[in-house]
């Protein structure tokens, strides 16, 4: 579905087959049957894979995920893993559960404020990323979750975007997966900026501290 946004000729039948295959892997207990793959792929934990599948299916417009959603959402909150919580915040929004999305985003905001981007609590991602690449993926997902709110909180969004941009190197943001998610977050952030009301406030930061603020209106 993401590819279809830039290449409309992506085969709908392929998308339908993939969706049906993933749904057929539900184990009836709130998770998905999983097999180990080669070369590290499919090597993510069942908790990460479950959360990612719920997120992906929800993004694809699948609504019949109540049991799987509840299991993954509860596990993500209990684990305090920022990567899994970000996935479930996005899944909550896609499944029209705004209260749940905001609840788990609130916990992510605390991590962003206390631990700072680059040091967030995350064990591994779907593609077994670690280190900086994992942090980029996690920050991008949190930023996307924040920007899916009716009124994104710039206090928490800004450091996430700044961290992502500061880790751009040679056209990449860590791993391939990190680059994809970083670009999704940055392009949505750009779109968000163009939709802001004409009036606003310009904030000037030095060494992470706001040293000046200037209000402006559409006539300036």
């Amino acid at each position: 579905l993401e590819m279809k946004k830039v290449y409309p000729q992506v085969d709908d039948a392929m998308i339908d087959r993939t969706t049906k295959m993933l749904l057929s892997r539900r184990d009836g207990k709130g998770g998905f049957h999983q097999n180990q793959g080669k070369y590290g792929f499919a090597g993510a934990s069942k908790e990460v894979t479950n959360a990612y599948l719920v997120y992906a299916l929800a993004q694809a417009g699948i609504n019949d995920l109540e049991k799987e959603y509840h299991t993954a959402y509860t596990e993500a909150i209990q684990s305090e893993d920022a990567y899994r919580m970000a996935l479930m915040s996005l899944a909550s929004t896609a499944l029209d559960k705004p209260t749940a999305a905001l609840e788990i985003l609130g916990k992510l905001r605390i991590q962003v404020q206390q631990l700072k981007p680059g040091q967030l609590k995350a064990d591994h991602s779907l593609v077994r990323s670690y280190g900086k690449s994992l942090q980029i993926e996690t920050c991008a997902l949190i930023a996307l979750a924040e920007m899916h709110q009716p009124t994104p909180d710039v206090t928490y969004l800004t450091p996430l975007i700044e961290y992502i941009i500061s880790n751009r190197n040679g056209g990449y943001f860590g791993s391939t997966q990190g680059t994809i998610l970083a670009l999704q977050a940055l392009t949505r952030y750009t779109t968000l900026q163009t939709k802001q009301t004409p009036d606003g406030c310009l904030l000037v930061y030095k060494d992470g501290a706001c040293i000046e603020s200037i209000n402006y209106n559409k006539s300036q």
Side-chain angles (χ1 to χ4, degrees), residues 82-96:
Y83 177 81
R84 304 205 288 274
M85 286 199 293
L87 289 175
M88 293 314 300
S89 179
L90 287 164
S92 298
T93 298
L95 293 170
D96 194 25

Side-chain angles (χ1 to χ4, degrees), residues 99-177:
T99 302
L102 186 58
E103 176 189 1
I104 204 165
L105 182 59
K107 296 181 182 298
L108 288 166
R109 287 171 173 174
I110 293 174
Q111 277 208 38
V112 170
Q113 187 174 48
Q114 295 182 347
L115 301 182
K116 309 302 181 185
Q119 302 178 53
L120 303 176
K121 181 179 178 180
D123 188 69
H124 65 278
S125 70
L126 183 73
V127 294
R128 273 287 179 182
S129 296
Y130 58 91
K132 185 171 291 186
S133 291
L134 173 60
Q135 289 293 316
I136 290 172
E137 289 178 42
T138 302
C139 287
L141 287 168
I142 298 174
L144 287 167
E146 186 71 63
M147 288 185 283
H148 274 81
Q149 291 299 304
T151 306
D153 193 324
V154 69
T155 304
Y156 303 100
L157 181 58
T158 300
L160 293 166
I161 296 298
E162 289 179 345
Y163 176 80
I164 293 170
I165 293 175
S166 70
N167 282 285
R168 178 175 53 192
N169 184 17
Y172 291 90
F173 297 85
S175 64
T176 302
Q177 182 78 352

